[in-house]
Amino acid sequence: MRPSTLTLRLVSAWALLGLAASIWGVLQVAWFGAGALLLITALVDFFTLPNKQRLSATRVLPGRFALGVKSAITLTLRHSMGRPLKVSVHDGLPPEALAEGMPWQGTLPPLEHVELTYDAHFTRRGAHTFSAAHLLVNSQLGLWRRLYRTGGSSETRCYPNYEPVVRFALLATANREEQMGIVKRRRNGATLDFHQLREYQDGDILSRVDWKATSRRQTLVSRDYEEQRNQSIILVPDCGRRMRAMDGELSQFDHCLNAMLLIAYIALKQGDEVGVTGFGGAQRWLKPVKGPPAMPSLLNHLYDYETTTEPSDFIEAAERVMALQKRRALIILMTNLRTEDTTHLMKAVGLLQKRHLVLVATLRESEMEARSQRPISSLDDALGYGALCHYEQQRAHLLQSLRANRIVTVDETAQNLPIALANQYLDLKASGRI
């Protein structure tokens, strides 16, 4: 319980009246009378505050949150008082959540409920807990305010942002992947030898529908060809300290996870199987899963991946992948390359190439590109620009060395990485390398 602003003003006015009464004695009776009236009124108003049992709050959360994406939350407030209640409400948000429309101030009608809907988004993936809602309630005359915590806690999960995956699925239904920048390519020199019949999938071209089999089964059936043979894709994200750098509102690691979701969805839709193992602190392993229904398994595996302060050991990651994945696969190593990585990275990739096809996907920091565009107006600006050019030259030399050793690379900013990675995967499929 705390006095309101109105109470503090009244007490201040009464104190000023007391100061005047000390100078002019005729005001002493008025000062005592005003004090007694204020005390009695405050005591009576205090008992108009409701008991905690007469307040309730229930919260409705969406099934899941996507990182950085706003979702609507509904908070329903009820009370059993016979008069309106003037309240200030703040929901029990986790520290990683940002909300618009909170705190809310208003009046709760008597014996009715009020539904508050506000948007919130998370800045960190993983499991989160909403605590009880905080209600600051005014007394009837507004002299007192009391804080209540009502309503239970709510558990929720924040997953990587899968909006590009959903958008791709909707476009793929209408064979319009090119609207996202993803280009389908036919395998060069591939034959169209019949392999098997299978159920029709969204995105199949009509020329491959087997109408005889469709008429017999009373459901759409497509012809499958040998060029669509199943392959294994192993995603190897860097979970070390270098991926903790922020790129916009998200860390570089979160941008990598978003790209991983898109490439995983496309690969599963192509009939390939997808596995995941992290390095640089995370030692979790998801065995390759197959088919579009496996996407929830990937989401549940990836949603609480976190970066650590450990350095990224590429050789250890390569040895781990070689021990876990015996069958030939496309290894997609996702990191942010530094110029000091040349020796260790080349050894690690050389080890992986003994059995697998390796694709190194590296994030190009958008902040570096922005700095290169700034005008030079001082000596410090010139020195900074020179250091930036030296860094870019060394990085370009590292990428050139990788390509000279027949290592497939993707070097893009966080915003362009998902589409670039998807197109590179489809290029490798079309060329017959996987």
Side-chain angles (χ1 to χ4, degrees), residues 178-231:
E178 64 275 7
Q179 292 188 17
M180 288 186 66
I182 298 174
V183 182
K184 278 190 172 181
R185 295 173 174 87
R186 184 172 175 176
R187 179 172 299 187
N188 296 330
T191 63
L192 295 178
D193 295 334
F194 174 77
H195 178 54
Q196 65 180 2
L197 293 177
R198 59 171 173 80
E199 292 185 3
Y200 177 85
Q201 297 178 355
D202 290 338
D204 286 352
I205 58 178
L206 293 179
S207 62
R208 292 190 177 181
V209 174
D210 191 308
W211 297 108
K212 291 184 179 180
T214 297
S215 63
R216 288 195 302 267
R217 299 186 184 182
Q218 297 299 309
T219 183
L220 286 174
V221 177
S222 292
R223 291 187 295 270
D224 207 356
Y225 295 90
E226 192 66 25
E227 67 178 59
Q228 296 181 352
R229 61 186 182 274
N230 299 331
Q231 302 294 338

Side-chain angles (χ1 to χ4, degrees), residues 162-180 182 202-203 262 265-266 269:
Y162 44 84
E163 186 271 338
V165 176
V166 175
R167 185 154 52 97
F168 173 80
L170 294 176
L171 292 174
T173 302
N175 290 323
R176 292 181 297 181
E177 293 93 334
E178 64 275 7
Q179 292 188 17
M180 288 186 66
I182 298 174
D202 290 338
L262 181 59
Y265 179 84
I266 296 174
K269 192 170 181 291

Side-chain angles (χ1 to χ4, degrees), residues 286-307:
L286 175 66
K287 292 182 178 180
V289 292
K290 183 180 177 182
M295 274 303 294
S297 298
L298 281 166
L299 279 171
N300 288 323
H301 180 79
L302 291 171
Y303 88 95
D304 58 350
Y305 261 55
E306 294 293 345
T307 55

Side-chain angles (χ1 to χ4, degrees), residues 233-251:
I233 314 298
I234 306 299
L235 302 173
V236 188
D238 185 349
C239 304
R241 60 192 179 197
R242 69 177 62 195
M243 302 300 289
R244 298 166 69 91
M246 300 301 294
D247 195 323
E249 292 187 355
L250 303 179
S251 67

Side-chain angles (χ1 to χ4, degrees), residues 47-278:
F47 290 103
T48 63
L49 289 169
N51 295 325
K52 183 178 180 180
Q53 292 75 15
R54 309 192 73 171
L55 300 172
S56 66
T58 55
R59 182 187 302 109
V60 178
L61 297 175
R64 61 182 61 178
F65 286 85
L67 184 65
V69 178
K70 296 178 182 179
S71 297
I73 300 174
T74 301
L75 185 67
T76 303
L77 304 175
R78 295 180 175 86
H79 73 94
S80 59
M81 301 288 290
R83 64 176 181 85
L85 290 182
K86 187 176 181 181
V87 299
S88 178
V89 181
H90 199 295
D91 204 357
L93 298 169
E96 300 83 4
L98 300 177
E100 296 180 0
M102 284 288 156
W104 177 86
Q105 294 182 351
T107 301
L108 304 182
L111 304 175
E112 295 183 12
H113 70 275
V114 173
E115 291 187 353
L116 306 180
T117 301
Y118 64 94
D119 292 329
H121 69 276
F122 283 94
T123 58
R124 183 179 177 183
R125 292 168 290 99
H128 301 282
T129 302
F130 283 76
S131 60
H134 296 69
L135 275 69
L136 191 60
V137 182
N138 288 13
S139 59
Q140 187 168 3
L141 297 179
L143 298 179
W144 301 100
R145 307 182 77 186
R146 184 175 180 181
L147 181 63
Y148 300 85
R149 298 190 63 184
T150 183
S153 60
S154 304
E155 303 289 337
T156 190
R157 290 180 176 184
C158 181
Y159 288 82
N161 182 17
Y162 44 84
E163 186 271 338
V165 176
V166 175
R167 185 154 52 97
F168 173 80
L170 294 176
L171 292 174
T173 302
N175 290 323
R176 292 181 297 181
E177 293 93 334
E178 64 275 7
Q179 292 188 17
M180 288 186 66
I182 298 174
V183 182
K184 278 190 172 181
R185 295 173 174 87
R186 184 172 175 176
R187 179 172 299 187
N188 296 330
T191 63
L192 295 178
D193 295 334
F194 174 77
H195 178 54
Q196 65 180 2
L197 293 177
R198 59 171 173 80
E199 292 185 3
Y200 177 85
Q201 297 178 355
D202 290 338
D204 286 352
I205 58 178
L206 293 179
S207 62
R208 292 190 177 181
V209 174
D210 191 308
W211 297 108
K212 291 184 179 180
T214 297
S215 63
R216 288 195 302 267
R217 299 186 184 182
Q218 297 299 309
T219 183
L220 286 174
V221 177
S222 292
R223 291 187 295 270
D224 207 356
Y225 295 90
E226 192 66 25
E227 67 178 59
Q228 296 181 352
R229 61 186 182 274
N230 299 331
Q231 302 294 338
S232 297
I233 314 298
I234 306 299
L235 302 173
V236 188
D238 185 349
C239 304
R241 60 192 179 197
R242 69 177 62 195
M243 302 300 289
R244 298 166 69 91
M246 300 301 294
D247 195 323
E249 292 187 355
L250 303 179
S251 67
Q252 290 189 336
F253 182 72
D254 286 311
H255 285 296
C256 278
L257 285 186
N258 296 341
M260 289 169 61
L261 286 178
L262 181 59
I263 193 66
Y265 179 84
I266 296 174
L268 292 174
K269 192 170 181 291
Q270 291 283 328
D272 293 336
E273 58 181 13
V274 180
V276 182
T277 181

